[in-house]
């Protein structure tokens, strides 16, 4: 989860999007990434999908509910989720500017994430989410592998993100997988930590 992934219904974020519409034809297949727990051998499959399909939409709504709810320290209403998705669309998360992926654990859609180009060699992670019921099963690692692969396919040489201080689980995930803190590359009320990882 990143700070640009923390829209609220009443305050703007630093998120900026293009106006192109996502279509399934524009979203290529990414070789599945998988991760298994030693105890149960449960397997994650992560594939590129349109962010508008039913599973992706449910996951984006769950993502919004968590990051906005943690920011507000209360439950988020369905109306607030609806408004947030309208205010901060994900139009950049489709070719040629980005990708969106859905992760399934034993066939169940339980994670998602997006990657978009900031410039020809720099990509940014966004909408990174693992359902709380599936955390600790390797889903975050599988998600990052698929997103990084998508970044390379887009031509990116490095991937960045910004995040909030309270999203400690996300910060720990990125640090475990080779993301180092860097000086600020973006500004906004929710950007408190910035990370980068080289892809090539």
């Amino acid at each position: 989860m990143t700070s640009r992934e923390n829209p609220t219904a009443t305050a703007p974020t630093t998120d900026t999007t293009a106006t192109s519409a996502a279509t399934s034809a524009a979203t290529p297949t990414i070789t599945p990434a998988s991760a298994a727990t030693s105890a149960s051998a449960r397997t994650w499959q992560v594939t590129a999908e349109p962010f508008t399909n039913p599973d992706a939409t449910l996951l984006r709504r769950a993502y919004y509910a968590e990051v906005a709810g943690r920011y507000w320290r209360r439950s988020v209403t369905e109306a607030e989720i609806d408004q947030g998705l309208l205010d901060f669309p994900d139009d950049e998360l489709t070719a040629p500017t980005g990708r969106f992926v859905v992760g399934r654990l034993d066939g169940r859609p339980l994670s998602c994430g997006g990657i978009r180009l900031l410039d020809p060699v720099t990509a940014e992670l966004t909408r990174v989410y693992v359902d709380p019921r599936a955390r600790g099963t390797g889903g975050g690692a599988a998600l990052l592998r698929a997103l990084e692969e998508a970044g390379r396919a887009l031509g990116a040489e490095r991937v960045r993100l910004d995040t909030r201080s309270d999203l400690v689980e996300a910060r720990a995930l990125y640090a475990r997988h080779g993301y180092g803190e860097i000086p600020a590359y973006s500004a906004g009320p929710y950007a408190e930590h910035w990370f980068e990882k080289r892809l090539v």
Side-chain angles (χ1 to χ4, degrees), residues 5 14 28 32 38 43 45 95 105 140 144 149 157 181 194:
E5 299 156 8
T14 57
S38 58
T43 301
Q45 297 293 325
L105 178 62
L144 290 179
E149 182 180 343
E157 298 176 2
E181 290 213 43
W194 297 261

Side-chain angles (χ1 to χ4, degrees), residues 1-187:
M1 292 174 284
T2 74
S3 70
R4 296 194 185 197
E5 299 156 8
N6 294 290
T8 69
T10 57
T13 70
T14 57
D15 202 355
T16 59
T17 58
T19 57
S20 60
T23 65
S24 58
T27 308
T29 300
I30 291 176
T31 302
S34 64
T37 63
S38 58
S40 62
R42 300 172 72 194
T43 301
W44 282 93
Q45 297 293 325
V46 184
T47 56
E49 300 183 17
F51 67 81
T52 52
N53 79 17
D55 288 343
T57 298
L58 286 174
L59 287 163
R60 289 190 301 123
R61 292 180 69 84
Y63 156 82
Y64 183 94
E66 178 167 347
V67 295
R70 287 177 66 165
Y71 184 79
W72 285 334
R73 298 183 182 181
R74 64 168 175 81
S75 297
V76 180
T77 68
E78 291 297 312
E80 287 170 333
I81 295 172
D82 291 340
Q83 189 60 52
L85 294 177
L86 287 173
D87 290 344
F88 304 99
D90 291 323
D91 295 337
E92 285 181 314
L93 304 183
T94 185
T97 56
R99 302 286 190 276
F100 190 82
V101 302
V102 170
R104 290 180 172 81
L105 178 62
D106 300 332
R108 300 172 60 202
L110 292 170
S111 72
C112 70
I115 190 165
R116 60 190 171 200
L117 289 175
L118 298 179
D119 62 49
V121 298
T122 308
E124 182 180 55
L125 297 182
T126 185
R127 305 295 187 263
V128 177
Y129 173 76
V130 178
D131 187 296
R133 297 168 295 176
R135 291 174 189 171
T137 63
L143 200 61
L144 290 179
R145 283 196 297 272
L147 289 168
E148 290 165 9
E149 182 180 343
R152 293 185 189 96
L154 292 167
E157 298 176 2
R158 61 187 177 185
V159 61
R160 290 179 168 179
L161 63 102
D162 59 49
T163 191
R164 293 188 331 224
S165 292
D166 65 306
L167 300 178
V168 292
E169 306 95 330
R171 289 163 49 206
L173 172 70
Y174 299 129
R176 284 197 306 271
H177 292 280
Y179 290 76
E181 290 213 43
I182 60 171
Y185 71 88
S186 61

